[in-house]
Amino acid sequence: MEWRDQGILLSARRHGETSAIIEVFTPAQGRHAGVVRGGTSRKIAPSLQPGAQLDVAWRARLEDHIGAFTVEPLRSRAAVAMQDRLALAGLNAVTALLAFCLPEREPHPALYRRTEALLDMLGQGDVWPLAYLKWELRLLEEMGYALDLDACAVTGATEGLIYVSPKTGRAVSAKGAGDWADRLLPLPPVLRGGAGSDAEVAQGLRTTGHFLTVHLARDLGGKPLPEARARFVDAFSRRL
């Protein structure tokens, strides 16, 4: 069993004396793990940083074996991320969420393309947080938790939508909210595709964070959401 693809490194951990086990996200293979022989060596280890773009070839005797990777680095994103605290926090949030959410060996080509484009924007601090928020929306959609923000769940109106139901993920208008307004999540225009301020992006992250934590993580066995996501939100909020 073997295949070759390009992908994004999600994680790497030591395995034995000289090897490493890595997880990569590729368009055709999804999240896939394997052993890199000599992965802790001075030659290979610097290339195995989360977010790195790799050319990978995987081989195993049987399909359900963990198998072994040979890797060729294409480009590193660590250098850009290390120069900016927010960029580093964002990179870690993306790779940690993908490792947390994605089922093994299930392709998500659309999400992969969105992820690669997002990581290639690292360092563009003026636009990256909004791009990240839109990426979280796509992640929720790919995992089966898409938000329905086109019309009010109560009145059917398409105007004046300012809330999101924390249970259903559907939009709610000011009129439709009534006495329940204080129990609803914010729906800033940026969640519906518009541009907006950093404050509106922060509101959007509060809403997507709810569905990541309360719905997605719960359905994955109640595991806590990776702390890397909270660190990114905290780093972003400090610049508001």
Side-chain angles (χ1 to χ4, degrees), residues 29-33 58 63-67 103-107:
Q29 306 298 328
R31 178 173 69 90
H32 206 294
W58 178 84
E63 186 176 5
D64 59 352
H65 286 183
I66 188 171
E104 285 191 276
R105 304 188 182 189
E106 180 180 293

Side-chain angles (χ1 to χ4, degrees), residues 9-105:
L9 180 65
L10 301 183
S11 67
R13 67 181 188 275
R14 191 181 188 94
H15 178 66
E17 292 296 322
T18 61
S19 298
I21 293 178
I22 67 170
E23 284 191 316
V24 295
F25 179 31
T26 80
Q29 306 298 328
R31 178 173 69 90
H32 206 294
V35 176
V36 178
R37 310 294 182 192
T40 60
S41 69
R42 293 182 179 181
K43 179 181 178 181
I44 300 178
S47 302
L48 300 183
Q49 301 297 320
Q53 194 75 20
L54 303 174
D55 184 283
V56 294
W58 178 84
R59 177 177 293 181
R61 189 169 64 85
L62 297 174
E63 186 176 5
D64 59 352
H65 286 183
I66 188 171
F69 277 124
T70 56
V71 302
E72 291 291 338
L74 298 176
R75 61 185 181 276
S76 171
R77 298 182 174 99
V80 174
M82 292 298 290
Q83 296 175 16
D84 181 273
R85 182 171 180 264
L86 184 63
L88 179 60
L91 172 63
N92 289 336
V94 170
T95 54
L97 281 173
L98 289 170
F100 176 81
C101 296
L102 291 176
E104 285 191 276
R105 304 188 182 189

Side-chain angles (χ1 to χ4, degrees), residues 6 24 27 41 46 53 79 82 94 101 118 147 153 164 181 187 216 219:
Q6 292 187 13
V24 295
S41 69
Q53 194 75 20
M82 292 298 290
V94 170
C101 296
L118 175 69
L147 304 187
V164 179
L187 174 51
L216 177 62
D219 291 346

Side-chain angles (χ1 to χ4, degrees), residues 9 15 51 130 155 189 203 214:
L9 180 65
H15 178 66
L130 175 57
T155 67
Q203 285 185 319
V214 176

